[in-house]
Amino acid sequence: EHLSVGQFDENGTGPKTTRRRRRSRSMLAEKEVRLGFQCNYYNATDEKFTKPFDWKHCEGMQVGQTYEVHWPHSAAGMCGTEWQMQTPFYDGVFCKSGIISLDPLNTFQKIGVQAQVYTIVNDETYYNDNLINGWIEYPDMDVAKYTGSTTGTTRSNEICSRFTPITWQVDRKCHMVSASSIDKLCEDMKAQKADMSDDLHAHGARELVADEFAADNHQRLH
């Protein structure tokens, strides 16, 4: 959903097939989902980008493809409890009453999302076993911080989100991560108290926000 020129942009590439399984609580169906910007790592002659992986927990994921992962945070969430992580994430963000206020507005102070973008590879050199607890940290992280809204294909430059403003922190760099890392993330999601099964597949990407609707308060964090 996000754009970072030279990292994940219109010049990025991936597998030719982008059909992914879209799962709902009531049905399973194969459906095209909107593809976002892709990273620039993919190389069809390198088998770590093409060798199939035997997925045990995630649904419809592809080696070589680009995915953006979100970690929502909220002062009104049930942090440190068995209900900390939930699907849909709104259930987790608005767990506690009396914290989120629309007048005076404090959503940008109380709700935030961290985002990081990955190319999945079939190579255990890139294994990370704890994505459930947050993004991959590295020296001199280049992070964009700004106020935005919730995302997804139901939002566009014509249809806005009513959940705004919230604070976003987005890593500008794309990372390679092993398919086993993502499958471990799905396994950990399945182990949560809440039913997170509707997030075991990739959701479609929101179209890039037009400049006229984008925030003008971007900060660069290092």
Side-chain angles (χ1 to χ4, degrees), residues 47-66:
E47 74 168 6
K48 72 172 173 282
F49 297 105
T50 60
K51 184 180 178 180
F53 177 78
D54 183 17
W55 298 92
K56 298 291 197 302
H57 304 284
C58 297
E59 300 173 357
M61 306 291 279
Q62 290 179 291
V63 171
Q65 192 53 269
T66 297

Side-chain angles (χ1 to χ4, degrees), residues 1 32 59 104 106 122 160 165 170 191 218 222:
E1 296 189 331
E32 288 286 349
E59 300 173 357
N106 70 357
N122 196 343
C160 299
V170 182
H218 285 66
H222 291 278

